[in-house]
Amino acid sequence: MRILLVEDDAGLGEGIRTALKPEGYTVDWLRDGRSALHALTDESFDLAVLDLGLPRLDGLEVLRQLRAAANPVPVLVLTARDATADRIAGLDAGADDYLIKPFDVSELKARLRALLRRSFNRPQPALEYAGITLDPASQTVTWQGQPVSLQRKEFILLHELIAQPGRVLTRDKLQQVLYGWGEEVESNAIEVHIHHLRKKFAPELIRTVRGVGYLVDKR
């Protein structure tokens, strides 16, 4: 899952990014509202964590412009503005959730998991597909009842595919999900991850749509 973190405090931003990466998130980090609006408009993210007191463009205005453009990306507002009127303004502008600084990192993680479940219309956090059970909360996978060890990027890739059966995910989309800005990506990286997943589960699990991307069939 790919998250855009928008936070102008360098220490807090680095702390959040460090805390979220082991959870299976690819975290891209920006420090001003105008850059965030451009990124959310031009690229694909599963979630956004948005501070309100941002340089260049206030977080509330980022939210208003996103929703005015019918951009549905789930947004968690993360701010020190704790007055009731501020919370109402954030929610009315289009925030999906609102967390006050200072906060506990475990609560932030739980709120992000809840937003992801709602965005995928899943009442339960675990995914089941063709003998595979994938639990984002515990970062575990089983295959026909037996645990399977996956590398972080394999886990993310498998999650993306089985969360959307029947939908072709392009190579570019998968690369965006797996690799943050500034990460060097080898030309065959996606193919290598797909090969490993087929070996660990079944060759027919992931289908190649030549020239387009990959999918798991709808069952």
Side-chain angles (χ1 to χ4, degrees):
M1 286 75 70
R2 189 184 185 201
I3 290 179
L4 180 65
L5 170 63
V6 192
E7 171 58 61
D8 64 331
D9 182 296
L12 180 58
E14 184 60 42
I16 293 172
R17 184 168 64 173
T18 300
L20 293 183
K21 277 197 169 184
E23 301 296 314
Y25 299 112
T26 298
V27 182
D28 290 317
W29 176 22
L30 293 172
R31 304 187 188 193
D32 72 88
R34 194 163 300 281
S35 297
L37 184 60
H38 288 160
L40 289 164
T41 301
D42 296 340
E43 300 191 42
S44 176
F45 294 91
D46 296 295
L47 290 171
V49 178
L50 179 68
D51 188 16
L52 294 186
L54 295 168
R56 299 185 69 204
L57 190 65
D58 186 77
L60 279 179
E61 186 57 29
V62 172
L63 264 175
R64 292 188 185 107
Q65 292 192 36
L66 273 180
R67 298 318 187 205
N71 189 320
V73 63
V75 175
L76 171 67
V77 165
L78 192 63
T79 181
R81 300 178 188 176
D82 59 353
T84 299
D86 290 321
R87 292 197 297 272
I88 291 171
L91 294 168
D92 283 347
D96 297 276
D97 201 355
Y98 201 102
L99 186 59
I100 302 296
K101 301 175 184 176
F103 58 91
D104 189 287
V105 170
S106 61
E107 182 179 1
L108 172 63
K109 293 176 182 178
R111 286 174 181 261
L112 293 178
R113 291 194 297 268
L115 283 179
L116 280 171
R117 289 198 297 272
R118 293 205 294 271
S119 70
F120 284 120
N121 295 315
R122 296 197 307 270
Q124 300 297 326
L127 290 173
E128 294 189 1
Y129 179 88
I132 298 170
T133 300
L134 182 150
D135 188 344
S138 63
Q139 296 281 292
T140 57
V141 178
T142 62
W143 163 240
Q144 297 179 344
Q146 299 300 311
V148 178
S149 177
L150 297 182
Q151 295 181 2
R152 175 176 168 270
K153 285 183 168 54
E154 293 171 359
F155 183 94
I156 297 170
L157 180 55
L158 181 64
H159 181 281
E160 288 297 312
L161 288 164
I162 68 174
Q164 304 169 80
R167 178 182 175 186
V168 179
L169 300 181
T170 66
R171 191 175 181 279
D172 286 345
K173 163 66 175 175
L174 293 173
Q175 192 164 294
Q176 284 183 14
V177 170
L178 292 177
Y179 297 95
W181 297 326
E183 287 190 63
E184 188 173 340
V185 185
E186 301 208 5
S187 60
N188 66 338
I190 300 298
E191 289 77 7
V192 170
H193 295 315
I194 294 289
H195 173 72
H196 289 164
L197 288 174
R198 285 170 171 159
K199 284 187 68 176
K200 290 179 180 182
F201 297 97
E204 66 275 11
L205 172 66
I206 301 169
R207 187 156 60 87
T208 301
V209 180
R210 201 163 295 280
V212 183
Y214 300 93
L215 83 160
V216 298
D217 289 317
K218 189 174 286 189
R219 304 179 75 84

